[in-house]
Amino acid sequence: MTPIPEREGIVSRRLLAALSSAVLAFGLAACSGEGAGGGTDTAGQDPKDLTIGVSMPTQTSERWIADGNSVKQKLEAKGYKVALQYAGDDIPTQSQQVDQMITQGADVLIIAAIDGTALTSQLQAAADKKIPVIAYDRLIRGSKNVDFYVSFDNFKVGVAQASALLVALGLQNKDGSKGAKTGPFNVELFAGSLDDNNAHFFFNGAMQTLKPFIDNGSLVVKSKQTAIEQVAILRWQQETAQKRMEDLLTSTYNDGSKVSGVLSPYDGLSRGIITALQNAGYGTAANPIPMVTGQDAEIASVKLINDGVQSSTIFKDTRLLAEQAVIAAEAFLQKKQPQANDTKTYENGVKVVPSYLLPVQTVYKDDIKAVLIDSGYYTAAEVAAGQAK
């Protein structure tokens, strides 16, 4: 499982996406007429006669590669045909791919959107053909035609990230009690892409947790950049996060002061932030690396945690998320409503979308074996190498 390099040019990404779209069109055309297309009764049909379209945002993150593969494998194990496509972080490409899935007869759509507001016309087309739509991990906004949402408790992800930062700094213990340290500690904040609904949940959960410590002076955001619009990283790009950290060090920490911690919402951003810090001289005995959080337990970052470089990550088990997506898809194919465990939280601007939310786990160095290795998510050799097979 090798992710496309973060530095791949946008032209190459779009060329790859265009080729993938062509393959999708050919593959779906080959089975056109066999699937129910959403409009006919799928309840009694053989799985081999049904097609599920799976749209993932990018292959620049190993997390999304794992998600796509997990969903595909679990559906195929049940006998379904699967049209899996990655959009190369390009909104028009994803729109085109979803259009093709609808036109060529998908019976259910599972979509992890690049931009949660950019698929309104595609979702209307799906609704017109009675094709159920499952939003996968990222809520699709601005449309009544989102039938179900499977994700993790994203507000709690933000709470967990902020709590992990407080624990790493010694302001709080893992059980939530008061820590031995009092600060003040200089920290900087990062958020995800503003067009990703999850980024707002992550940031709001984190800020609710950090605010008392900022208010009492235990934490100091020296740059004074505390609004999500100031700290967001478009498309969750590692290079953008690295550049912003470099700019912060140049503009705010040119007086000899030091950064003690960084709230990072995603491991890819964390690696960019850490690179900027190391390039600026952090990471020595005299100038230790700041505490940097993360999310997704990407193998490169798990190695950094194991090596004492990154302080923590939030583990979201994509195997469980894929399983819930499959359960929801099968319920729709049987003309049933999937079971939700949250029917109040995820309002997409038009409706509250019934949701199934999964729990998350904070992973520090001493949790790697129990949480990631013993569960079979990674092997010890993969953690040591920083690369998954």
Side-chain angles (χ1 to χ4, degrees):
M1 183 173 66
T2 303
I4 292 176
E6 303 262 11
R7 296 179 182 274
E8 176 188 50
I10 189 168
V11 174
S12 298
R13 287 187 203 164
R14 290 182 178 175
L15 176 60
L16 177 61
L19 290 171
S20 298
S21 295
V23 172
L24 170 66
F26 177 80
L28 282 174
C31 65
S32 180
E34 295 180 12
T40 60
D41 186 6
T42 57
Q45 292 211 27
D46 193 308
K48 69 180 177 58
D49 295 326
L50 301 172
T51 300
I52 294 153
V54 180
S55 177
M56 291 286 156
T58 184
Q59 286 176 301
T60 60
S61 164
E62 66 185 50
R63 179 266 158 99
W64 289 115
I65 297 172
D67 278 90
N69 289 339
S70 291
V71 173
K72 185 174 187 290
Q73 290 165 7
K74 290 179 185 298
L75 287 169
E76 288 181 339
K78 292 177 174 289
Y80 297 102
K81 296 175 183 176
V82 181
L84 168 63
Q85 288 294 296
Y86 292 89
D89 264 332
D90 185 61
I91 295 168
T93 296
Q94 186 167 51
S95 299
Q96 180 187 27
Q97 289 172 345
V98 174
D99 275 331
Q100 289 172 336
M101 292 175 185
I102 294 167
T103 301
Q104 299 298 335
D107 297 287
V108 177
L109 293 173
I110 299 172
I111 302 173
I114 298 169
D115 182 335
T117 63
L119 294 171
T120 303
S121 63
Q122 284 72 29
L123 267 58
Q124 184 59 56
D128 292 343
K129 291 194 173 185
K130 296 183 172 57
I131 303 171
V133 174
I134 300 168
Y136 184 94
D137 201 44
R138 294 177 172 180
L139 184 64
I140 300 173
R141 297 189 55 78
S143 173
K144 66 181 179 180
N145 301 311
V146 185
D147 298 290
F148 202 70
Y149 179 45
V150 293
S151 188
F152 297 88
D153 192 324
N154 295 311
F155 187 87
K156 287 185 178 178
V157 170
V159 171
Q161 289 173 336
S163 298
L165 181 61
L166 295 172
V167 169
L169 292 171
L171 292 170
Q172 183 174 288
N173 297 317
K174 288 183 180 180
D175 63 4
S177 61
K178 186 176 180 179
K181 301 291 181 65
T182 59
F185 296 108
N186 290 328
V187 297
E188 295 298 336
L189 313 173
F190 283 72
S193 192
L194 291 176
D195 54 13
D196 181 348
N197 193 64
N198 287 356
H200 300 268
F201 277 94
F202 299 151
F203 192 71
N204 290 342
M207 291 306 290
Q208 183 182 93
T209 304
L210 296 179
K211 188 175 185 300
F213 295 87
I214 295 172
D215 289 347
N216 70 18
S218 300
L219 297 178
V220 177
V221 183
K222 197 164 186 289
S223 68
K224 303 190 185 305
Q225 296 180 10
T226 59
I228 190 170
E229 293 79 8
Q230 295 173 301
V231 304
I233 302 298
L234 182 64
R235 300 284 181 271
W236 301 86
Q237 287 296 310
Q238 178 173 327
E239 290 180 352
T240 307
Q242 180 177 335
K243 177 64 165 58
R244 178 170 181 261
M245 191 70 240
E246 289 168 349
D247 291 343
L248 287 171
L249 292 171
T250 301
S251 64
T252 307
Y253 294 88
N254 57 2
D255 57 359
S257 57
K258 299 295 181 182
V259 185
S260 295
V262 181
L263 175 77
S264 170
Y266 159 58
D267 287 340
L269 302 190
S270 307
R271 294 194 296 275
I273 291 163
I274 288 168
T275 298
L277 290 163
Q278 290 173 329
N279 289 344
Y282 287 88
T284 66
N287 190 21
I289 200 82
M291 304 301 172
V292 181
T293 63
Q295 179 181 189
D296 285 344
E298 291 194 343
I299 189 63
S301 287
V302 173
K303 182 181 189 304
L304 290 177
I305 294 169
N306 200 44
D307 293 344
V309 179
Q310 185 172 320
S311 62
S312 64
T313 190
I314 305 302
F315 176 50
K316 296 158 60 174
D317 194 333
T318 56
R319 298 168 298 185
L320 300 180
L321 185 59
E323 185 175 301
Q324 284 303 320
V326 171
I327 290 170
E330 286 204 296
F332 282 126
L333 290 171
Q334 294 164 11
K335 302 304 178 184
K336 299 176 182 178
Q337 182 64 27
Q339 181 181 359
N341 60 10
D342 188 310
T343 57
K344 297 180 180 179
T345 305
Y346 287 90
E347 205 277 337
N348 77 345
V350 177
K351 62 183 279 190
V352 176
V353 182
S355 308
Y356 194 96
L357 306 181
L358 291 157
V360 299
Q361 293 175 278
T362 304
V363 175
Y364 304 94
K365 181 176 181 177
D366 55 6
D367 299 308
I368 290 174
K369 184 179 184 302
V371 175
L372 299 177
I373 296 175
D374 291 350
S375 71
Y377 198 79
Y378 293 130
T379 66
E382 287 172 331
V383 171
Q387 185 173 357
K389 296 179 180 178

